[in-house]
Amino acid sequence: FHRYATDPNWQTPHFEKMLYNQALLIRLYLAAHTIKSNPYYLRVVEQTLNFVLSQMHAPQGGFYASLDADTEDKEGSYYLWTLEDFKQAVDKKGININFASQLFDVDKYGEIDQGNVLSLSQSFEESAADNKMSLPQFMQGVDKIRQYLMQTRQLRQKPLADEKIIMGWNGLMISALVQSSRYFSASKNYLAPAIKAANHIWLTMQINMSQAKSQKNNQSWYRIQFKGINSKSAQLQDYAYFLQALIDLYDVTQEDIWLKRSQHIVDIMHSLFWDKAHGGFFQSPIDENTPMPIRLKSAFDKTLPAANAIAAQSLLRLNKRTGEDKYKKDAMHIFSAFASDVYQTPSAYSGLHLAAHEQRYGQQQLPTFAANGNIHIDAKLYEKTSSLQLVIELKLKSNWHINAHQVLEKHLIPTQIKLTKDSIWEFENIVYPKAEKISLGFNDKPLALYQGDTKIIATLVPKKVNKKATKKQRLPHPNPQNPAIKLNLQACNDEICLLPEEFLLYPTPLKVENSPPLRNK
């Protein structure tokens, strides 16, 4: 993605490409696909990831800050196509020139000095229908044209890369890679570069006490690395985005090292940035060598989400993963610190609204956690021709259990899944695992329980338009929204039972060929 548009029709971009734009837009398209499955969204994600990994990936780990807009002293020349250049590039066997130029809206006038900015004039589905082609056949033609254009563009002078590795921006890209790894097969291997980048920042960008005597703690981080040389102390934004990335890594890998590192980063943030008097984080640490008359503190979203908002959300997630109340208390202090600002200008604080929504209604991004981090929850949808296969995975730590879906005593809370009231889907069947009947020390009668790794499997179909219609007469909803699933459970160990918990889950939609064997023990 280019940095921004320079015209009201969003046709002509400023041609610079920023790392943070790629990271945030990848996550946006993943979220859109989760709500309403669309292969085009995943296509955009995959193409953007492949671009970043091929053009902005530092060999030692980490990601470059940006690619320049200019080549040969002219903005955008690497990306512009005259009609003649375009025809020469795609004048290959099997390619219709008129089809190609119409598809990418190329003419002799162009947008900049007869140079065309390639863009799609309509959706792939509309173009395929206009050309009387099936969508797969049409997409093959599109990809051929793109391949020929890329081969020609590779011969041009490439824009220079700004090879700075910026801690915070890398945090955003690590999160994008980690979240993407859930949507694609393991062969895409998007998790490995995320882990490599996180380790690179952790191991090579630290400031030790001997290097920075002014720091009151014994560890902090540099903000920038350029050709192996570190400079400038990291700001709140860098720590907040990197903290978010470490939590994402823990959620997907379930390796404790990432959780421990997350907690360590929070300790450093507290030491360097926390406002003890009024709550919230200052944007910069105290610099005893160059004291500032005012330390700024803001939760205002600008080009990037506000660091205080990301910090509040991350603190809430640490509370859910560790059970430590101090994290939630700090998040609530952040909300209090900026409450009056949010009230006066609510539209400027989207990030803080999202964090507050998560505090009130729970985390909806998957994976998530129950029982103070002792239960890992994930949910996936496998799309079939006329139905969806839902798989909810619960991984309980040793000594923890939840009640089965059918309890043996009325006062117990069963583990159940439901659909939201406005859902256009309905369950055709639900298969809960077989319960274990276990006697615990605090109860004379045996209980029906789930322990260890547990799967709930269900098939969902569109609701019948006519309740009396047969299954064959069922009408699929046009462009259906993916279902949201309510999960209720109560977790206990040998000593205590926690309060019942309810989760609203938006399962990750996956292709059916990635489906595991859908069986329950």
Side-chain angles (χ1 to χ4, degrees):
F1 285 95
H2 293 296
R3 190 172 188 181
Y4 54 80
T6 61
D7 68 316
N9 296 319
W10 291 45
Q11 178 72 19
T12 306
H14 172 55
F15 291 92
E16 190 174 12
K17 292 184 178 180
M18 312 300 294
L19 179 64
Y20 59 75
N21 286 140
Q22 318 311 315
L24 293 174
L25 285 162
I26 285 168
R27 290 159 62 182
L28 176 68
Y29 275 80
L30 290 176
H33 178 70
T34 300
I35 296 167
K36 189 172 288 188
S37 295
N38 188 329
Y40 176 71
Y41 295 156
L42 287 188
R43 177 183 171 89
V44 171
V45 168
E46 188 172 7
Q47 289 175 343
T48 307
L49 287 166
N50 293 344
F51 160 76
V52 171
L53 291 171
S54 64
Q55 304 296 318
M56 303 183 77
H57 195 192
Q60 70 275 23
F63 297 90
Y64 299 143
S66 65
L67 294 184
D68 286 351
D70 300 352
T71 48
E72 301 172 339
D73 297 324
K74 184 177 179 182
E75 183 175 331
S77 61
Y78 183 71
Y79 304 101
L80 295 171
W81 297 84
T82 65
L83 181 59
E84 289 305 313
D85 288 342
F86 183 84
K87 286 181 176 179
Q88 288 180 15
V90 301
D91 188 13
K92 311 286 183 181
K93 185 178 179 180
I95 299 296
N96 184 305
I97 296 294
N98 291 331
F99 166 74
S101 56
Q102 183 180 10
L103 175 68
F104 286 107
D105 197 21
V106 177
D107 56 34
K108 66 179 181 180
Y109 303 105
E111 285 77 39
I112 303 174
D113 298 331
Q114 297 183 332
N116 289 271
V117 179
L118 302 187
S119 63
L120 298 170
S121 55
Q122 55 185 2
S123 72
F124 289 141
E125 289 84 359
E126 291 171 325
S127 294
D130 288 349
N131 287 277
K132 298 179 180 178
M133 301 166 70
S134 68
L135 187 58
Q137 181 187 11
F138 175 79
M139 293 307 298
Q140 285 181 355
V142 171
D143 287 337
K144 265 189 181 178
I145 296 169
R146 292 181 68 252
Q147 180 184 351
Y148 294 142
L149 291 170
M150 181 60 76
Q151 288 172 355
T152 300
R153 201 173 73 176
Q154 296 274 16
L155 302 175
R156 299 177 180 178
Q157 181 179 331
K158 295 182 179 180
L160 293 175
D162 179 354
E163 295 185 359
K164 291 196 297 291
I165 294 175
I166 299 175
M167 180 182 178
W169 299 5
N170 270 257
L172 294 174
M173 194 64 225
I174 292 166
S175 287
L177 284 161
V178 173
Q179 291 177 27
S180 298
S181 70
R182 293 171 41 77
Y183 290 76
F184 296 93
S185 65
S187 62
K188 301 294 183 185
N189 203 19
Y190 292 134
L191 190 58
I195 292 173
K196 185 177 180 181
N199 281 325
H200 178 79
I201 291 170
W202 187 269
L203 297 172
T204 72
M205 295 180 69
Q206 290 189 32
I207 307 173
N208 295 321
M209 186 67 171
S210 59
Q211 297 171 290
K213 294 181 181 179
S214 63
Q215 301 293 354
K216 293 183 178 179
N217 67 321
N218 62 359
Q219 199 177 41
S220 58
W221 262 260
Y222 286 105
R223 171 175 168 77
I224 295 171
Q225 186 179 89
F226 181 68
K227 296 188 182 299
I229 299 173
N230 295 319
S231 65
K232 295 189 177 181
S233 296
Q235 304 297 295
L236 175 64
Q237 184 185 84
D238 298 295
Y239 285 98
Y241 296 163
F242 190 54
L243 170 63
Q244 183 183 56
L246 293 174
I247 295 173
D248 284 337
L249 278 166
Y250 172 68
D251 290 354
V252 170
T253 66
Q254 299 179 59
E255 295 174 359
D256 287 342
I257 185 174
W258 304 114
L259 184 61
K260 291 176 181 177
R261 287 182 176 182
S262 301
Q263 293 175 289
H264 186 66
I265 287 288
V266 170
D267 291 342
I268 294 174
M269 289 170 65
H270 233 280
S271 173
L272 295 177
F273 303 99
W274 187 250
D275 181 354
K276 295 179 182 178
H278 303 102
F281 291 103
F282 292 110
Q283 292 174 218
S284 302
I286 293 175
D287 188 339
E288 294 178 359
N289 298 320
T290 312
M292 293 181 292
I294 298 175
R295 291 182 76 193
L296 297 177
K297 188 175 71 173
S298 172
F300 189 98
D301 295 313
K302 296 181 181 178
T303 306
L304 296 173
N308 265 292
I310 299 299
Q313 186 180 64
S314 296
L315 287 164
L316 291 170
R317 293 186 180 185
L318 279 178
N319 167 250
K320 289 292 185 183
R321 285 146 183 76
T322 65
E324 294 189 26
D325 288 338
K326 64 180 181 179
Y327 298 126
K328 185 176 181 180
K329 288 178 181 178
D330 284 347
M332 300 306 290
H333 284 142
I334 294 174
F335 296 141
S336 297
F338 299 104
S340 62
D341 296 332
V342 175
Y343 181 78
Q344 291 176 23
T345 320
S347 62
Y349 295 90
S350 299
L352 213 55
H353 283 303
L354 289 170
H357 185 276
E358 186 164 316
Q359 187 277 324
R360 185 170 184 179
Y361 298 105
Q363 178 187 329
Q364 290 162 6
Q365 176 189 313
L366 291 169
T368 189
F369 289 80
N372 296 328
N374 289 296
I375 301 177
H376 180 274
I377 302 172
D378 206 351
K380 296 170 184 175
L381 282 176
Y382 299 97
E383 302 174 44
K384 297 189 173 182
T385 305
S386 58
S387 65
L388 297 174
Q389 196 85 44
L390 170 69
V391 179
I392 295 178
E393 300 172 342
L394 306 173
K395 295 185 179 181
L396 287 73
K397 289 187 178 179
S398 60
N399 300 324
W400 284 89
H401 61 262
I402 55 177
N403 295 316
H405 76 289
Q406 290 181 333
V407 294
L408 301 181
E409 296 186 30
K410 291 182 179 179
H411 66 278
L412 298 175
I413 305 297
T415 298
Q416 290 183 337
I417 59 171
K418 299 177 183 178
L419 290 162
T420 53
K421 290 182 180 179
D422 58 349
S423 180
I424 63 163
W425 300 90
E426 60 187 1
F427 287 121
E428 188 172 65
N429 62 54
I430 304 175
V431 180
Y432 290 96
K434 185 178 179 180
E436 298 179 71
K437 292 186 178 180
I438 299 174
S439 296
L440 300 174
F442 58 81
N443 199 334
D444 296 334
K445 298 179 180 178
L447 302 175
L449 306 176
Y450 298 145
Q451 299 184 102
D453 291 356
T454 299
K455 282 185 182 179
I456 302 171
I457 298 170
T459 301
L460 297 99
V461 293
K463 283 182 178 177
K464 296 176 183 177
V465 177
N466 179 354
K467 292 293 184 181
K468 295 182 180 179
T470 65
K471 186 174 179 180
K472 290 184 178 180
Q473 294 171 322
R474 190 189 304 277
L475 297 177
H477 191 281
N479 199 16
Q481 182 170 316
N482 288 334
I485 308 296
K486 286 185 177 180
L487 168 67
N488 293 89
L489 59 81
Q490 183 176 22
C492 305
N493 61 20
D494 294 342
E495 298 178 354
I496 60 168
C497 281
L498 302 178
L499 291 173
E501 297 179 77
E502 181 177 272
F503 298 86
L504 182 62
L505 309 178
Y506 290 88
T508 303
L510 299 170
K511 293 180 179 179
V512 72
E513 55 262 30
N514 295 334
S515 171
L518 299 178
R519 295 175 186 164
N520 249 329
K521 295 179 182 178

